[in-house]
């Protein structure tokens, strides 16, 4: 029991979805949030380019009712001292997203369907969502995995 509690205590991000995860076993990454910026993902795009992520610091900034006072907004949760690669409304470079998405891609065993589609995909919904967002932002997922192979895996 103690390892499970330690694992839960070290969690810094929780991915959740109320539309499709349980009923369809599907999840879609809609935003990538850093300490200094929010990047909204174009979930409708079929093109593979880093411009599918656009900096939009107001995206997901309004808290749901019950998270704070009614109408409470989180207008500047980002650290002011961190460097931001682009201004609001712009898209970062491919290099930025390769680095930003590397952890999610390299820690995942998910396999996307043909051309990043859902047909034939293998893996859990969270890993697939992260891998698909990386793929559609132009990251060469399989090349990244072959260049930086996993040495060992410890399931929990």
């Amino acid at each position: 029991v103690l390892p499970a509690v330690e694992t839960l205590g070290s969690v810094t991000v929780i991915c959740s979805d109320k539309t499709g995860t349980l009923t369809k076993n599907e999840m879609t990454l809609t935003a990538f949030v850093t300490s200094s910026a929010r990047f909204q993902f174009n979930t409708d795009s079929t093109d593979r380019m880093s411009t599918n992520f656009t900096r939009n610091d107001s995206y997901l900034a309004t808290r749901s009712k019950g998270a704070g006072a009614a109408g409470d907004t989180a207008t500047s949760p980002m650290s002011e001292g961190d460097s931001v690669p682009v201004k609001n409304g712009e898209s970062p470079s491919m290099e930025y997203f390769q680095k930003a998405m590397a952890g999610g891609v390299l820690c995942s065993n998910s396999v996307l369907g043909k051309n990043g589609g859902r047909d034939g995909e293998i893996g859990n919904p969270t890993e697939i969502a992260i891998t698909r967002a990386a793929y559609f932002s132009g990251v060469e997922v399989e090349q990244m995995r072959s260049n930086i192979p996993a040495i060992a895996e410890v399931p929990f």
Side-chain angles (χ1 to χ4, degrees):
V1 175
L2 188 57
V5 173
E6 289 174 349
T7 300
L8 185 59
S10 67
V11 170
T12 57
V13 175
I14 297 175
C15 298
S16 65
D17 176 29
K18 294 175 22 181
T19 56
T21 305
L22 298 175
T23 57
K24 296 169 52 178
N25 200 32
E26 293 179 1
M27 185 180 276
T28 302
L29 187 144
T30 60
F32 183 83
V33 180
T34 70
S35 62
S36 55
R38 289 185 172 97
F39 297 93
Q40 185 175 1
F41 181 60
N42 178 358
T43 59
D44 297 323
S45 180
T46 56
D47 296 323
R48 298 185 61 215
M49 59 184 99
S50 61
T51 55
N52 284 333
F53 276 98
T54 305
R55 182 172 176 191
N56 181 352
D57 290 339
S58 65
Y59 187 67
L60 300 176
T62 303
R63 297 179 185 167
S64 64
K65 291 179 184 175
D72 187 18
T73 60
T75 55
S76 60
M78 286 74 78
S79 300
E80 296 299 325
D82 292 341
S83 65
V84 180
V86 295
K87 295 178 182 173
N88 212 24
E90 296 177 352
S91 296
S93 68
M94 173 56 60
E95 180 183 7
Y96 177 84
F97 270 106
Q98 284 179 322
K99 291 177 182 179
M101 302 299 280
V105 170
L106 296 172
C107 292
S108 169
N109 293 321
S110 66
V111 177
L112 298 179
K114 185 178 180 181
N115 298 321
R118 295 198 184 275
D119 192 32
E121 65 189 11
I122 300 169
N124 75 49
T126 303
E127 290 184 357
I128 290 171
I130 293 168
T131 304
R132 177 172 285 109
Y135 176 85
F136 281 109
S137 67
V139 173
E140 295 297 336
V141 173
E142 294 307 318
Q143 181 180 343
M144 180 183 284
R145 288 178 177 163
S146 68
N147 289 346
I148 310 170
I151 296 171
E153 183 175 340
V154 180
F156 63 95

